[in-house]
Amino acid sequence: MRPRYSRILLRFWKNCLLREMTFRGHFILRVFGEVGWVFLLLVFIEVIFSKTSHVRGWSEPQYLFLMGTHMLVTSLFETLFFENCWRISDLVRKGDLDFVLVKPANTQFLLTFERIDFASLANLPVGIALCTYAAIQGGFTITFGHSVLFVLLIGTGVCMLYAMLFMFALTSVWLIRQTGLDALWFYAMSLSRYPAEIYRGFAGGTLWFVCVFVVPVLMVANLPANVMVRTFTTPFIINFIVAAAVLLILSNIALRWALRSYRSASS
Amino acid sequence: MAEIHVRDLHKNYRVHVKPAGLGASVKSLFHRTYKEVQAVDGISFEIEPGEMVGFLGPNGAGKTTTLKMLSGLIYPSSGSVSVMGFVPWQRKNEYRRQFALLMGQKNQLWWDLPANESFRLHKEIYHIEDDLFKRVHGELTELLEVENLLDQPVRELSLGERMKMELIAALLHSPRVLFLDEPTIGLDVVAQTNIRHCLQQYNQERQVTILLTSHYMRDIEALCDRVLVIDHGRLVHDGLLRDITERFATHKLLQLRFQNGRMPERPEEFGEVTDLTPPRLTLRVPREQVPQCVSHLLDCYDVDDIAIEDPSIENVISALFRQTAEQASDDVVVAETMNG
Ligand SMILES: Nc1ncnc2c1ncn2[C@@H]1O[C@H](COP(=O)(O)OP(=O)(O)OP(=O)(O)O)[C@@H](O)[C@H]1O
Ligand SMILES: [Mg+2]
């Protein structure tokens, strides 16, 4: 008898929705916070482009499209995975991971999908609107094939971010107190918001090289945006997808490894 | 074939020795000293299907650690375990579907939601069929008298009510083996009896195997014929609860009532005086001296009434724990002098 994962998933989401509904005020405040932050960023971009027409070869509409793409990626990641990764350190410290481990279902699945953060979903329509606006303003020609690739790459990017943060969260099995996840996510998000080209100058390009080719975190928004509104090369896309797949596999290996060292806080 | 089979189980924890004081703490950032804690130190036992076994021991004896290994949460340092033919720490789904772990100090229900929502989630995770779920859910909520609390958020329940919900969550999938770690901790007498009763009934109806720890002797007395007593990670007794008195009680209580108000002038010659309210006298007498003592008293005095009693199990066990604790601290002293 295999566990029915789709039904478990539905139940998780339903429970999260029920919980959100009991704390309506909190939910509404968070949505305003999320969306408000986006408008601040837009103002910032307006200021930059009032001084110059291009940033490292990106025109304003292209840049806005990148922004929109970035919002899609981060909003999906935060909705689906951030809270789940965040929770892991708490589960370990209090020993509540015990209850996940005794359940007859894949442990990584239970850890990955138990929570869904509906408030973060608010930025998804904003991102779509921004992309649409930028595409119209820039007069980009967008084919159906490109759009499919765009969606696929966004999915790949979200998976990549997930694998990275999940592995990072697992270090709490050894460190017990692990509150660095916030900071890591902040860096990943801030770095990937801008065109990757602007990092070429730093530290002889090492950081740029690692973040573009090895763990292509810089590319999670850049690559899909490039596919739609600039140029791209196929090997680069393959590199990106392979990197995400490798990270996902590594995250599973890391989990098995971490569980061997899990001590289960005493009760 | 035994349902639970444990052979020479060990679990060592390597713990960082934290020195006191800030200076020493800074030093320990660079040079850490560790010590090995032998939480479980070579335990072996077998439990037959349908048995209800109590697991006794003082704080830190290694009970929880053993249960965690049996439920596959942590890996042992050495030794072997088989539960229903499975090796727990392989965490096979077939195994996990057939046992339940209940920990009195932790809760697994969704804090902000009614317990019923958590139960429905369990239904999916354990793949419980609709009919079975409805029946078991109905039976358990009725047995524990919580039907009217099912739709109240768990955070609004009292400790005892929440514990009952936790118990339901643990039993919903009809486990064959139950590990209960202090299921009645912090509950009032009524709730304790309630939970005890539920476990008893459950065990009788379904022949589930239960291994239970508790610091309340009442739980153990009511539920378990057989007990495992563990101390400092070692098994010190495996057998019937009442045999504990046989084996470990060193003294008996002698209760006497004298006629004519004539009483022994120096009662302490016969044993330790625990109560003296003329014409009554209670003495604590080493077991082997009881016959001699009684005959002497009966010869020399006019005894109206006499009763020879075993001390209560609770007293025997606490004396037993104290005794092993003293032994252990003696060992430490010996080890220290040897080092120095
Ligand atoms: N995660 C851990 N890390 C380090 N040491 C631990 C850990 N868990 C337990 N210990 C140690 O192992 C020993 C046994 O602990 P355990 O929790 O099994 O005791 P117990 O018999 O359940 O006690 P209690 O009756 O207090 O619940 C204790 O000395 C404890 O300090
Ligand atoms: Mg314990």
Side-chain angles (χ1 to χ4, degrees), chain A residues 4 98 101 103 263-264, chain B residues 14 68 96 106 108:
Chain A
R4 294 171 291 191
D98 293 1
L101 289 176
K103 294 287 180 320
R263 284 172 156 217
S264 168
Chain B
R14 206 164 74 113
K68 280 176 181 170
R96 294 191 289 192
K106 294 185 185 174
Q108 62 164 329

Side-chain angles (χ1 to χ4, degrees), chain B residues 170-191:
Chain B
L171 296 179
L172 268 181
H173 61 284
S174 314
R176 233 176 86 185
V177 171
L178 260 177
F179 301 123
L180 306 170
D181 194 9
E182 305 188 34
T184 54
I185 190 160
L187 304 190
D188 70 23
V189 185
V190 179

Side-chain angles (χ1 to χ4, degrees), chain A residues 263-267, chain B residues 13 15 37 39 57-65 182 215:
Chain A
R263 284 172 156 217
S264 168
S266 200
S267 68
Chain B
Y13 283 112
V15 292
V37 176
N59 290 130
K63 305 178 296 289
T64 304
T65 308
E182 305 188 34
H215 288 294

Side-chain angles (χ1 to χ4, degrees), chain B residues 35-312:
Chain B
K35 68 168 184 193
E36 292 267 327
V37 176
Q38 266 127 23
V40 174
D41 193 14
I43 286 186
S44 306
F45 59 85
E46 278 179 19
I47 296 178
E48 298 299 322
E51 258 193 296
M52 239 183 178
V53 177
F55 207 13
L56 287 175
N59 290 130
K63 305 178 296 289
T64 304
T65 308
T66 306
L67 288 189
K68 280 176 181 170
M69 287 190 275
L70 293 184
S71 19
L73 300 174
I74 52 177
Y75 294 72
S77 305
S78 67
S80 67
V81 174
S82 141
V83 185
M84 299 179 276
F86 294 97
V87 177
W89 46 91
Q90 288 175 351
R91 292 198 281 265
K92 293 221 172 74
N93 282 348
E94 301 99 279
Y95 175 56
R96 294 191 289 192
R97 197 169 288 118
Q98 295 185 67
F99 82 92
L101 171 68
L102 178 73
M103 288 182 279
Q105 351 256 40
K106 294 185 185 174
N107 55 295
Q108 62 164 329
L109 301 171
W110 285 48
W111 191 245
D112 294 314
L113 294 184
N116 243 347
E117 303 301 335
S118 291
F119 297 159
R120 291 193 184 114
L121 178 61
H122 273 228
K123 174 177 179 293
E124 302 304 344
I125 291 180
Y126 284 96
H127 199 155
I128 309 168
E129 299 302 335
D130 290 345
D131 297 342
L132 187 66
F133 178 79
K134 231 174 257 165
R135 207 187 66 217
V136 177
H137 181 271
E139 279 172 14
L140 289 171
T141 48
E142 196 189 306
L143 192 58
L144 289 167
E145 299 163 7
V146 289
E147 292 107 319
N148 51 347
L149 297 171
L150 289 168
D151 293 314
Q152 203 164 326
V154 170
R155 77 184 125 82
E156 291 171 9
L157 299 179
S158 79
L159 178 67
E161 291 163 349
R162 202 175 75 222
M163 236 13 253
K164 290 179 182 176
M165 297 299 185
E166 292 280 344
L167 184 61
I168 294 176
L171 296 179
L172 268 181
H173 61 284
S174 314
R176 233 176 86 185
V177 171
L178 260 177
F179 301 123
L180 306 170
D181 194 9
E182 305 188 34
T184 54
I185 190 160
L187 304 190
D188 70 23
V189 185
V190 179
Q192 277 184 16
T193 334
N194 220 284
I195 286 190
R196 232 178 265 152
H197 177 71
C198 172
L199 289 174
Q200 221 156 16
Q201 189 148 338
Y202 198 80
N203 171 262
Q204 269 162 18
E205 277 169 15
R206 296 163 199 251
Q207 292 302 304
V208 292
T209 310
I210 300 181
L211 183 55
L212 161 122
T213 84
S214 175
H215 288 294
Y216 300 112
M217 278 313 295
R218 282 285 172 75
D219 285 349
I220 307 280
E221 276 173 322
L223 294 173
C224 313
D225 292 326
R226 178 178 161 204
V227 292
L228 302 171
V229 183
I230 174 181
D231 192 20
H232 290 90
R234 290 166 194 263
L235 208 56
V236 293
H237 178 79
D238 175 359
L240 297 179
L241 181 62
R242 56 176 178 277
D243 286 350
I244 288 188
T245 338
E246 285 289 310
R247 219 181 120 186
F248 296 105
T250 48
H251 294 73
K252 279 188 190 260
L253 291 179
L254 227 58
Q255 291 175 343
L256 302 144
R257 197 173 71 209
F258 296 93
Q259 233 171 12
N260 315 329
R262 204 174 76 82
M263 299 194 45
E265 263 148 45
R266 285 208 298 266
E268 59 277 6
E269 277 177 2
F270 297 95
E272 189 189 326
V273 180
T274 56
D275 184 36
L276 178 60
T277 39
R280 286 167 202 279
L281 171 67
T282 308
L283 289 169
R284 196 165 159 270
V285 182
R287 276 163 64 142
E288 62 279 5
Q289 292 173 19
V290 169
Q292 196 189 343
C293 179
V294 169
S295 66
H296 190 110
L297 282 165
L298 291 177
D299 282 349
C300 304
Y301 302 94
D302 289 334
V303 177
D304 203 17
D305 188 21
I306 181 165
I308 306 171
E309 280 183 1
D310 283 319
S312 74

Side-chain angles (χ1 to χ4, degrees), chain A:
Chain A
M1 245 198 323
R2 275 172 51 83
R4 294 171 291 191
Y5 286 108
S6 55
R7 300 191 59 164
I8 300 176
L9 198 61
L10 277 181
R11 238 323 129 188
F12 277 156
W13 291 0
K14 199 167 164 190
N15 280 2
C16 288
L17 194 62
L18 280 172
R19 202 174 47 151
E20 292 288 9
M21 285 178 346
T22 41
F23 301 113
R24 240 178 351 186
H26 176 247
F27 178 78
I28 291 166
L29 278 179
R30 285 222 28 227
V31 168
F32 273 107
E34 295 280 334
V35 177
W37 169 239
V38 170
F39 279 96
L40 281 178
L41 282 175
L42 287 178
V43 170
F44 179 63
I45 291 176
E46 273 309 307
V47 172
I48 292 178
F49 281 97
S50 65
K51 304 263 193 282
T52 171
S53 68
H54 283 78
V55 172
R56 292 271 163 158
W58 290 67
S59 69
E60 186 172 1
Q62 286 174 332
Y63 198 110
L64 283 178
F65 197 90
L66 174 64
M67 279 280 309
T69 312
H70 186 256
M71 276 166 59
L72 297 182
V73 173
T74 52
S75 147
L76 282 173
F77 174 78
E78 285 179 358
T79 306
L80 291 170
F81 302 124
F82 183 75
E83 199 180 336
N84 289 299
C85 291
W86 172 250
R87 248 163 52 85
I88 288 176
S89 136
D90 260 4
L91 290 177
V92 169
R93 199 165 42 80
K94 295 190 187 139
D96 285 340
L97 188 58
D98 293 1
F99 292 118
V100 182
L101 289 176
V102 298
K103 294 287 180 320
N106 183 288
T107 302
Q108 186 163 9
F109 173 87
L110 297 178
L111 284 175
T112 303
F113 294 108
E114 183 172 318
R115 295 294 158 89
I116 186 163
D117 179 23
F118 288 98
S120 298
L121 209 54
N123 274 347
L124 200 66
V126 182
I128 292 172
L130 191 58
C131 284
T132 316
Y133 169 76
I136 292 168
Q137 222 197 16
F140 307 123
T141 44
I142 289 166
T143 67
F144 178 71
H146 282 167
S147 312
V148 172
L149 193 56
F150 178 72
V151 172
L152 176 78
L153 289 176
I154 286 189
T156 314
V158 171
C159 289
M160 182 183 293
L161 288 170
Y162 154 72
M164 279 174 47
L165 267 83
F166 185 75
M167 280 192 275
F168 187 79
L170 289 179
T171 58
S172 51
V173 167
W174 295 280
L175 304 177
I176 307 302
R177 222 175 104 85
Q178 168 57 281
T179 50
L181 198 76
D182 261 345
L184 182 75
W185 171 233
F186 180 77
Y187 286 128
M189 197 174 69
S190 311
L191 286 174
S192 59
R193 177 178 300 134
Y194 307 105
E197 287 84 351
I198 69 172
Y199 298 108
R200 267 192 139 127
F202 291 121
T206 330
L207 176 72
W208 175 80
F209 182 81
V210 171
C211 294
V212 170
F213 292 101
V214 186
V215 189
V217 57
L218 280 190
M219 304 312 289
V220 291
N222 270 260
L223 192 60
N226 271 316
V227 164
M228 294 293 263
V229 299
R230 285 162 61 93
T231 55
F232 66 96
T233 60
T234 315
F236 203 96
I237 290 178
I238 291 171
N239 174 51
F240 184 72
I241 294 176
V242 169
V246 169
L247 283 169
L248 279 179
I249 293 168
L250 281 181
S251 73
N252 187 258
I253 295 172
L255 176 64
R256 286 157 198 268
W257 196 39
L259 290 182
R260 286 204 72 97
S261 307
Y262 175 57
R263 284 172 156 217
S264 168
S266 200
S267 68

